[in-house]
Amino acid sequence: MKSTTLRRAAALTAGAALALGVAVAGPAAQAAPIAKPVGADPSPAAVGAAYLAKQPGADGIIVSHSEYLGTQYDTPSPGITIDAALSLDAVGGQAATVAKMATGVEASTYPTGSAGGAAKFAAFEYALGRTGAALNAAVTKANGAIATSGVYAGRLENAPGATDYESPLTQAYAAKALHDAGASNAAIALDFLLDQQCAAGFFRSDFSDKDADNQSCDPADPDGSLPSVDYTAFAVLQLQDQKAAAPVAASLSKAITWLTTQQGADGSYDGNANSTGLAAWALGISGQTNAAVKAATWLRAHQLANAGSCAVFAAADNGALVVDDLGVINAKAAPMDINANSTATYATSQALPALLWAPGGAQAGETTLSVADAFVPAGSTQNVTISGAPGDTICASTGGAGTRIVLPASGTATYPLTLPAATGAVTVSTVDAGGEADSIKITGLTAAKIKAKAPKKIAQGKKFKVKATGFAPGEPVTVKYRGKTKELTANGQGVLRVKLKATKVGTSKVKVTGALSSRKDKVTVTVVK
């Protein structure tokens, strides 16, 4: 299995990569935020969106930073800006930032640069529901860049003689943009895109050479028919507004089936956040919820998430998705530099919407704390059970330094607590990556002198009061009298008051017992006629 969206482009010289301008493959799939899946935890997507929204400059454009062969490149990237804006639009909650980014791209030369850039920009504008001269110019350029005759009719290409970096990726942009525009070459652009889908269901990573007789996926040409998770997922996303057409519906079905077979046991695609994010996004909107949840869980483990005082990542990095395990390790060791942040920005741009399928707890990510017993022997060690969304980062403490806990796939972890030797309450507090705070109180008890009082004589049929002191505030107390039992609770001062009815003539005992068997007393009462 191969994923080639940017990893193949990385082999280009820096100058060529800049000329490409469309190496970053951010899908333009939704014109409105994705409906939040039932049972999902909204926190990781919201935190990721907050990180991504901070990346554009004052002009709305994200600057791409990279080092190649010892030379640093810092270049404004309308292409990455489009990817980020589309992800923010899909997640929702960042409308002003998205509008600022769109305005910035519209004012750049990107809309009419390369054929692929024009197609990408036009697809982006239609996805956001925007209009204007820049969009019109981009549509004109993209439509004019579709070959209308010859063996590769329908193919997106740059001007004759120009270096042609177009691929099934940019063809997908053109198929969407020209369809939405009602352009004259929309139908043949779509046909050519569908021809890039191989029999197994994937979309291949490159076009055939222009002089090849067969411009479709050719099993006889294995080098020209390499599978791409990224391009397959991307095609699924771009074709959403044409899925009512039978050929498109059939293509989508094959693509989704293939994607489900390529997912790793850990939920990822090649252990790479970019590919995993695109695939999960495509799977999620196609109704493959289980696969999307599995991928989102893997992605969440590759999101830099601080919680409360358990801040292992730099504040500026919080919420970013990094490409792989090494990215997490490096970000823990030191704040991301501009190059690492640029890589994380790209990963977040592609993978952010997939986090919408991050599984939640019983209440969609709500964290709950529980203990077997809230009143236990002083000096004992107890486990606080923390339940919530799988992959959520929790910071637990008793007032001092916090302990960082990442909830496993089960959504449940334990926090061990050793209580002081003296009687007293300890509060365990938690805060998760989304800012939700919870707490639970555990009281350690030692032997205590419990004193119970009641009238010595009571007339039969009358009610009488029993008072017991010496309990801890809120301590559960069991009261037994003449074979009947009541489970009660001491008040805030550690006092228990209860009314009992004198039903039978004779002498008997009222017994009161606290949370520990050693914390008890009894009082004798006599019922008379």
Side-chain angles (χ1 to χ4, degrees):
M1 177 175 63
K2 295 184 180 293
S3 300
T4 59
T5 301
L6 196 62
R7 290 171 288 291
R8 178 173 58 85
L12 302 168
T13 64
L18 295 178
L20 176 57
V22 291
V24 178
Q30 278 76 29
I34 299 171
K36 303 299 184 291
V38 176
D41 181 2
S43 171
V47 174
Y51 162 80
L52 195 56
K54 294 185 294 186
Q55 304 312 309
D59 60 355
I61 300 296
I62 292 174
V63 176
S64 174
H65 303 280
S66 62
E67 181 273 331
Y68 186 77
L69 298 179
T71 300
Q72 179 69 29
Y73 294 90
D74 307 301
T75 309
S77 177
I80 293 178
T81 303
I82 287 174
D83 300 331
L86 287 167
S87 282
L88 290 172
D89 181 60
V91 169
Q94 299 287 345
T97 299
V98 171
K100 178 181 177 181
M101 296 165 80
T103 300
V105 177
E106 290 165 355
S108 73
T109 60
Y110 187 85
T112 53
S114 67
K120 177 174 183 173
F121 171 77
F124 165 65
E125 291 277 287
Y126 282 121
L128 297 186
R130 295 175 73 87
T131 59
L135 171 59
N136 294 339
V139 169
T140 298
K141 183 174 182 69
N143 194 56
I146 299 295
T148 56
S149 62
V151 68
Y152 55 84
R155 175 171 169 165
L156 181 71
E157 59 175 347
N158 276 301
T163 303
D164 197 342
Y165 294 107
E166 309 313 336
S167 69
L169 167 64
T170 53
Q171 188 76 27
Y173 283 124
K176 173 181 172 55
L178 298 182
H179 167 269
D180 290 356
S184 59
N185 292 327
I188 58 173
L190 173 62
D191 288 344
F192 196 84
L193 173 62
L194 297 183
D195 283 343
Q196 308 316 303
Q197 187 174 29
C198 302
F202 62 82
F203 281 78
R204 59 179 177 163
S205 58
D206 291 290
F207 287 146
S208 300
D209 292 337
K210 286 185 176 179
D211 58 1
D213 291 334
N214 187 353
Q215 291 289 311
S216 63
C217 186
D218 184 1
D221 179 19
D223 290 338
S225 300
L226 296 176
S228 170
V229 167
D230 298 42
Y231 287 12
T232 302
F234 184 79
V236 169
L237 293 164
Q238 291 298 304
L239 289 172
Q240 289 301 300
D241 56 1
Q242 301 184 63
K243 62 185 178 182
V248 175
S251 172
L252 291 174
S253 178
K254 288 172 57 181
I256 287 299
T257 298
W258 182 81
L259 281 174
T260 59
T261 68
Q262 303 304 300
Q263 189 171 32
D266 62 357
S268 78
Y269 286 78
D270 289 341
N272 174 282
N274 304 62
S275 298
T276 302
L278 283 173
W281 189 351
L283 291 165
I285 64 170
S286 300
Q288 299 296 317
T289 303
N290 290 341
V293 166
K294 192 175 178 182
T297 300
W298 184 91
L299 284 169
R300 190 170 190 171
H302 294 80
Q303 183 176 36
L304 308 185
N306 289 326
S309 63
C310 300
V312 298
F313 303 110
D317 301 341
N318 190 53
L321 281 159
V322 293
V323 175
D324 51 23
D325 294 343
L326 183 59
V328 177
I329 294 170
N330 289 341
K332 282 183 178 179
M336 292 191 294
D337 62 18
I338 58 172
N339 295 338
N341 184 70
S342 194
T343 300
T345 297
Y346 168 52
T348 308
S349 295
Q350 287 196 317
L352 176 63
L355 287 175
L356 290 170
W357 282 271
Q363 299 296 323
E366 179 182 351
T367 304
T368 59
L369 309 181
S370 61
V371 291
D373 198 332
F375 292 86
V376 295
S380 64
T381 298
Q382 304 294 323
N383 284 325
V384 178
T385 299
I386 304 173
S387 301
D392 196 5
T393 299
I394 307 291
C395 187
S397 72
T398 56
T403 298
R404 186 173 186 266
I405 299 169
V406 178
L407 296 181
S410 64
T412 301
T414 56
Y415 174 72
L417 169 69
T418 299
L419 294 160
T423 295
V426 175
T427 298
V428 176
S429 299
T430 62
V431 61
D432 77 345
E436 180 191 337
D438 297 277
S439 64
I440 192 169
K441 185 169 70 173
I442 306 172
T443 301
L445 302 173
T446 59
K449 187 175 182 179
I450 306 300
K451 184 63 176 176
K453 293 182 179 181
K456 291 183 179 181
K457 290 186 179 182
I458 310 105
Q460 185 181 22
K462 297 294 185 180
K463 289 186 176 181
F464 64 99
K465 295 179 181 179
V466 177
K467 177 182 179 182
T469 58
F471 294 111
E475 183 175 354
V477 180
T478 300
V479 179
K480 292 184 176 181
Y481 174 60
R482 285 194 173 276
K484 294 185 177 181
T485 301
K486 288 190 175 186
E487 301 294 341
L488 305 169
T489 302
N491 65 19
Q493 289 73 47
V495 177
L496 175 80
R497 291 183 173 88
V498 61
K499 286 184 177 181
L500 302 174
K501 188 173 183 179
T503 57
K504 187 175 181 181
V505 173
T507 299
S508 57
K509 290 180 173 59
V510 178
K511 298 178 181 179
V512 293
T513 306
L516 305 182
S517 60
S518 61
R519 298 168 64 82
K520 63 184 179 179
D521 194 21
K522 58 187 176 182
V523 62
T524 301
V525 296
T526 300
V527 178
V528 297
K529 288 186 178 180

